[in-house]
């Protein structure tokens, strides 16, 4: 049963949630009880999600708890004052209909818009009457962006599900790297302490392999509630294998020399991958998804393992890997 204090609370909650003005009109004017109950439930769900989001922004990692910092834009408040209404939530001024006279066009009657006052006052359209909004720099957290805090909030709040779209057709596009991409590749080579120089590089775009990797990321998050780590690694192989890999991805049936478990091997340092190129002159830079790290070299309880004394990762599932560059 609606009416009285419950209805006032429901309308107040509607105003606290953005983009629900149409629902507010529905609750106010419709008399169908079943429809009102459905709208009321959707309201409570949306309001609960909004409160959960606000509480989620208060989560902080151990480092930020021990050494709290303030956002230099909002001074730790997490919100900014609306500048059009100066925080009041209302705007006013001269009536545009009568131009401040308070009379109608023929001056025989009072202005129907301002009721003869010559002024108007209404809700601020910028802040929707709230007088403030979340700080654009810290997103309402009140502190500078922290990667550890952001990861903690994503794990707690779940985040939006990753959209896959329709599975694309097989195919690959290979182009000579632009000057900017070539500089990025050279920088990565140098940062990873690779010897020698990168003479040339080609970018690889394989929509099907990228789609399969996104599917792996989605399934991993649905299963564990956490985002998989991602990084780039070097993979050395014979020249005749390069095109097959960038076109079709890694083939588990063609694996050989599996010294540390069944999987594909990727190094952080390009010099490690050089040994796997044989007499070839090319290697691959790939995007890697690291889901659950295994405690055994057989990868029995995970999808990857790090071999520290050899400085490379072993990735169990080909869907975790997407070739990005031929170097």
């Amino acid at each position: 049963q609606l009416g009285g204090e419950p209805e006032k609370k429901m309308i107040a909650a509607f105003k606290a949630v953005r983009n629900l003005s149409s629902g507010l009109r529905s609750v106010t004017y419709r008399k169908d009880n079943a429809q009102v109950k459905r709208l009321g439930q959707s309201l409570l769900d949306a309001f609960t999600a909004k409160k959960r989001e606000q509480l989620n922004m208060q989560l902080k990692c151990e480092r930020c708890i021990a050494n709290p910092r303030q956002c230099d834009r909002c001074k730790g408040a997490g919100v900014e004052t609306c500048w059009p209404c100066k925080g009041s939530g209302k705007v006013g001024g001269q009536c545009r209909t009568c131009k401040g006279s308070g009379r109608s066009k023929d001056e025989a009657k009072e202005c129907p818009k301002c009721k003869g006052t010559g002024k108007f006052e209404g809700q601020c359209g910028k802040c929707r009457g709230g007088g403030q909004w979340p700080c654009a720099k810290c997103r309402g957290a009140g502190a500078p962006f922290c990667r550890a805090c952001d990861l903690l909030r994503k794990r707690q709040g779940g985040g939006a599900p990753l959209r896959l779209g329709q599975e694309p057709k097989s195919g690959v596009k290979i182009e000579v790297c632009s000057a900017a991409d070539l500089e990025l590749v050279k920088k990565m080579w140098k940062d990873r302490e690779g010897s020698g120089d990168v003479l040339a590089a080609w970018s690889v775009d394989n929509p099907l392999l990228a789609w399969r990797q996104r599917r792996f990321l989605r399934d991993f998050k649905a299963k564990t509630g956490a985002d998989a780590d991602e990084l780039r690694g070097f993979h050395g192989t014979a020249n005749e294998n390069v095109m097959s890999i960038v076109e079709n991805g890694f083939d588990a049936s063609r694996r050989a020399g599996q010294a540390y478990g069944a999987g594909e091997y990727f190094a952080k340092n390009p010099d490690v991958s050089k040994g796997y190129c044989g007499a070839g002159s090319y290697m691959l830079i790939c995007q890697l998804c690291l889901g659950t790290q295994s405690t055994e070299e057989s990868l029995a309880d995970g999808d990857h393992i790090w071999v520290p004394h050899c400085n490379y990762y072993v990735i169990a599932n080909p869907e975790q890997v997407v070739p990005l560059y031929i170097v």
Side-chain angles (χ1 to χ4, degrees):
Q1 295 291 332
L2 289 177
E5 193 63 25
E7 184 172 350
K8 290 180 181 179
K9 288 183 178 181
M10 182 174 286
I11 292 176
F14 254 121
K15 290 181 179 179
V17 181
R18 286 188 169 188
N19 302 323
L20 290 177
S21 57
S22 60
L24 175 60
R25 288 194 294 271
S26 299
V27 168
T28 304
Y29 298 113
R30 293 186 183 179
K31 303 301 181 182
D32 180 14
N33 285 340
Q35 180 71 11
V36 168
K37 288 181 180 179
R38 287 196 296 269
L39 286 168
Q41 186 60 50
S42 64
L43 159 69
L44 293 176
D45 292 342
F47 187 64
T48 301
K50 190 73 175 179
K51 294 296 293 183
R52 187 186 300 115
E53 180 185 347
Q54 292 173 352
L55 292 173
N56 189 32
M57 290 307 298
Q58 298 175 10
L59 293 174
K60 296 182 180 180
C61 67
E62 294 181 0
R63 185 183 66 178
C64 289
I65 293 175
N67 300 291
R69 297 178 297 164
Q70 285 190 354
C71 171
D72 58 5
R73 179 164 178 165
C74 66
K75 307 302 180 185
V79 294
E80 296 181 79
T81 302
C82 176
W83 53 267
C85 67
K86 297 181 180 179
S88 66
K90 297 181 180 180
V91 291
Q94 188 182 78
C95 176
R96 297 179 182 178
T97 302
C98 64
K99 297 182 180 179
S101 67
R103 311 300 298 175
S104 60
K105 289 184 179 181
D106 56 6
E107 297 188 358
K109 299 180 181 179
E110 66 179 22
C111 174
K113 189 73 174 180
C114 65
K115 306 299 182 181
T117 63
K119 300 179 180 180
F120 80 93
E121 184 178 77
Q123 178 178 289
C124 176
K126 186 74 174 178
C127 64
R128 304 193 180 191
Q132 59 188 18
W133 52 68
C135 174
K137 187 170 184 178
C138 67
R139 295 179 289 181
F145 176 79
C146 169
R147 189 175 298 276
C149 292
D150 188 56
L151 180 59
L152 180 65
R153 291 163 189 158
K154 285 181 178 179
R155 288 176 176 173
Q156 181 73 14
L162 185 63
R163 296 183 179 181
L164 288 178
Q166 187 175 1
E167 181 176 359
K169 297 180 180 179
S170 60
V172 63
K173 182 179 180 181
I174 302 174
E175 294 182 325
V176 176
C177 278
S178 65
D181 281 346
L182 182 58
E183 284 302 316
L184 288 175
V185 170
K186 288 183 175 180
K187 184 178 185 303
M188 179 180 175
W189 186 281
K190 184 178 180 180
D191 291 345
R192 300 285 185 88
E193 299 180 350
S195 60
D197 296 316
V198 175
L199 301 181
W202 295 261
S203 64
V204 177
D205 180 17
N206 192 316
L208 178 59
L209 297 183
W211 183 88
R212 288 173 178 171
Q213 189 180 67
R214 290 199 305 273
R215 181 177 62 185
F216 173 86
L217 288 169
R218 181 202 62 182
D219 294 345
F220 179 81
K221 185 167 186 177
K223 182 179 179 180
T224 65
D227 294 316
D229 293 328
E230 298 181 68
L231 57 84
R232 294 182 178 182
F234 294 92
H235 179 80
T237 187
N239 286 352
E240 57 268 22
N241 297 332
V242 171
M243 289 306 300
S244 174
I245 293 174
V246 299
E247 288 178 357
N248 307 308
F250 288 87
D251 186 353
S253 64
R254 299 182 62 182
R255 291 171 177 170
Q258 306 286 285
Y260 294 96
E264 316 303 336
Y265 289 58
F266 300 90
K268 289 184 176 181
N269 188 322
D271 287 349
V272 176
S273 298
K274 282 182 182 180
Y276 294 85
C277 295
S281 302
Y282 302 93
M283 69 172 64
L284 298 170
I285 296 178
C286 301
Q287 183 76 7
L288 313 179
C289 286
L290 308 180
T292 304
Q293 182 166 339
S294 177
T295 59
E296 303 176 8
E297 293 181 357
S298 62
L299 299 176
D301 58 348
D303 53 46
H304 75 278
I305 190 172
W306 167 248
V307 185
H309 56 279
C310 294
N311 291 321
Y312 52 59
Y313 283 98
V314 182
I315 308 293
N317 191 342
E319 291 188 353
Q320 295 174 245
V321 183
V322 175
L324 297 180
Y325 299 100
I326 302 172
V327 178

